[in-house]
Amino acid sequence: MDEALLRSLTPGVLAVLVRRGADFAAAEDAVQEALVEAFRAWPADPPRDPKGWLVTVAWRKFLDATRADAARRNREDVVDTEVAPGPTAAVDDTLRLYFLCAHPSLTPSSAVALTLRAVGGLTTRQIAQAYLVPEATMAQRISRAKRTVSGVRFDQPGDVATVLRVLYLVFNEGYSGDVDLAAEAIRLTRQLAAAIDHPEVAGLLALMLLHHARRASRTAADGSLVPLADQDRSRWDTALIAEGVAILQAALARDQLGEFQAQAAIAALHADAQAAAETDWVQIVEWYDELLRLTGSPVVRLNRAVAVGEADGPRAGLAALAKLDDTVPRYTAVSAYLHERDGDLETAARLYAEAAAKASNLAEVDHLTRQAARLNTRNSRD
């Protein structure tokens, strides 16, 4: 049994049922039953048209459930429209499903969970493990999301920006449980890039690949975080970097700059440096200026302050930082870093400790605590 094939076909089959009148929750139940039937029947008698087979069986399962459910008698008009067996026309169903799952009526967390379930083909248990929450909690979240979009017309989905934001959130969830969400986000974004010709989709894919290329060097043997400047660059995946750069260059050539392309350009400049000291910080600042023009984000301003500190010196970075609200996430950590670069180790140690107390991520708490301890030890020796 080719599980990868079934997984790739699932979104398209689900989308066909939704387009033909099934509500989202009922359609997914029918598709899951069809997949179970496929696991039973296909090894002995593989179909010539797998997608057509799944559509036919899933539609029959849906109709059976509809007939048995008195609360859905208003669907009797679709009972006689059973899909005949045979080849199914190729339609961009997966793309439509992306947009439905990213509908603006959903919260970001619900949109991410529903995308992983409906488009990614992950089980509720796998998603729950990846998010480190009980399976029952995740099941309720996904059920609420299904109910929300069940009343949404399939031709009124979310927009490209919302879809990309959802995929970006999936990628940023990191690596936990038995599902690698970063790898899953890349897989889903590859699907989207193959289905839609959009420079920002390409920009997001390039950004993911360039960040993912550094994955092996981001943590030490004890699990602690390794800052970018200290990473072993020989462990970076050069094939992923080359692919990401090529995708980015093709997107930038279209002269339709968006925030993901700008972020990918910054990541590409980091990847291009053979050593941290060779990083082209001046050009990175210029790209942050572009990104700031596109987004106006305070987080972008924060990261720009770091880049200015590298390009023009820590005092210039602190001056740029002073223009921000100190409640911006990671403000205190950046201030600590720039003060350390400026030689004010006592202030830096205090700020690292404050930043650790504010951090919500355990790995970041550990990293910042280590930084504070390192400087405190050094200060006591001096």
Side-chain angles (χ1 to χ4, degrees):
M1 172 60 62
D2 190 341
E3 294 186 30
L5 174 62
L6 284 176
R7 188 176 182 183
S8 68
L9 293 174
T10 298
V13 175
L14 178 56
V16 169
L17 267 64
V18 173
R19 286 196 291 104
R20 292 185 181 279
D23 69 54
F24 197 95
E28 188 180 43
D29 289 341
V31 171
Q32 294 303 314
E33 290 188 36
L35 292 176
V36 172
E37 188 71 16
F39 272 103
R40 185 191 66 78
W42 285 15
D45 186 20
R48 292 184 179 180
D49 177 21
K51 181 179 177 181
W53 189 98
L54 286 171
V55 168
T56 299
V57 173
W59 188 249
R60 286 174 177 164
K61 296 289 185 183
F62 166 70
L63 293 179
D64 288 343
T66 299
R67 294 186 182 104
D69 190 349
R72 297 175 181 169
R73 293 188 182 279
N74 62 330
R75 296 187 179 275
E76 290 180 353
D77 60 321
V78 299
V79 170
D80 296 327
T81 64
E82 184 173 342
V83 180
T88 303
V91 183
D92 201 358
D93 292 324
T94 301
L95 178 59
R96 297 185 184 185
L97 205 56
Y98 273 112
F99 282 78
L100 182 63
C101 291
H103 194 273
S105 61
L106 295 174
T107 64
S109 61
S110 294
V112 168
L114 190 58
T115 300
L116 290 171
R117 183 72 181 88
V119 186
L122 304 185
T123 65
T124 302
R125 175 174 296 180
Q126 287 175 317
I127 301 170
Q129 289 175 339
Y131 274 86
L132 302 178
V133 299
E135 184 176 354
T137 300
M138 184 55 66
Q140 290 175 353
R141 183 181 301 176
I142 294 173
S143 293
R144 285 195 298 269
K146 289 178 184 177
R147 287 195 297 271
T148 299
V149 300
S150 287
V152 174
R153 285 171 50 190
F154 206 43
D155 60 350
Q156 293 181 335
D159 58 10
V160 174
T162 305
V163 174
L164 295 181
R165 187 63 55 193
V166 168
L167 291 173
Y168 190 52
L169 288 172
V170 174
F171 183 79
N172 284 337
E173 284 300 324
Y175 328 99
S176 56
D178 66 352
V179 177
D180 184 338
L181 287 182
E184 183 65 15
I186 291 173
R187 186 184 74 83
L188 294 174
T189 307
R190 285 190 188 280
Q191 284 186 5
L192 187 61
I196 180 172
D197 182 20
H198 194 292
E200 271 294 84
V201 177
L204 178 58
L205 178 57
L207 176 63
M208 289 180 176
L209 294 174
L210 289 164
H211 278 310
H212 205 57
R214 303 200 301 262
R215 176 176 179 175
S217 63
R218 283 179 173 161
T219 54
D222 61 359
S224 60
L225 293 178
V226 179
L228 177 60
D230 299 330
Q231 290 177 11
D232 179 358
R233 300 186 178 217
S234 67
R235 300 182 65 194
W236 290 2
D237 189 327
T238 54
L240 282 184
I241 290 173
E243 182 184 5
V245 169
I247 292 171
L248 173 62
Q249 289 175 337
L252 291 176
R254 301 176 63 174
D255 197 24
Q256 299 176 41
L257 184 64
E259 62 174 298
F260 290 118
Q261 295 170 74
Q263 288 189 56
I266 293 169
L269 286 168
H270 283 298
D272 187 54
Q274 296 298 308
E278 298 176 14
T279 304
D280 189 345
W281 286 106
V282 172
Q283 193 172 170
I284 286 176
V285 171
E286 292 174 355
W287 274 110
Y288 271 122
D289 288 340
E290 290 288 343
L291 189 55
L292 192 58
R293 179 181 61 80
L294 290 165
T295 67
S297 165
V299 174
V300 172
R301 290 184 186 276
L302 184 76
N303 292 332
R304 180 185 179 278
V306 175
V308 168
E310 299 291 350
D312 301 326
R315 294 194 178 182
L318 287 167
L321 186 67
K323 298 176 182 179
L324 277 75
D325 187 331
D326 62 7
T327 61
V328 175
R330 294 185 60 251
Y331 179 100
T332 307
V334 169
S335 182
Y337 172 75
L338 291 171
H339 275 93
E340 180 182 358
R341 287 282 316 283
D342 196 37
D344 187 353
L345 304 188
E346 184 175 346
T347 299
R350 174 177 57 79
L351 290 172
Y352 275 130
E354 290 180 11
K358 296 176 181 178
S360 57
N361 180 285
L362 291 179
E364 189 172 357
V365 170
D366 176 71
H367 172 70
L368 293 169
T369 302
R370 288 170 183 255
Q371 296 295 87
R374 173 179 58 82
L375 292 185
N376 283 327
T377 300
R378 183 173 170 181
N379 288 333
S380 65
R381 289 175 181 172
D382 296 341

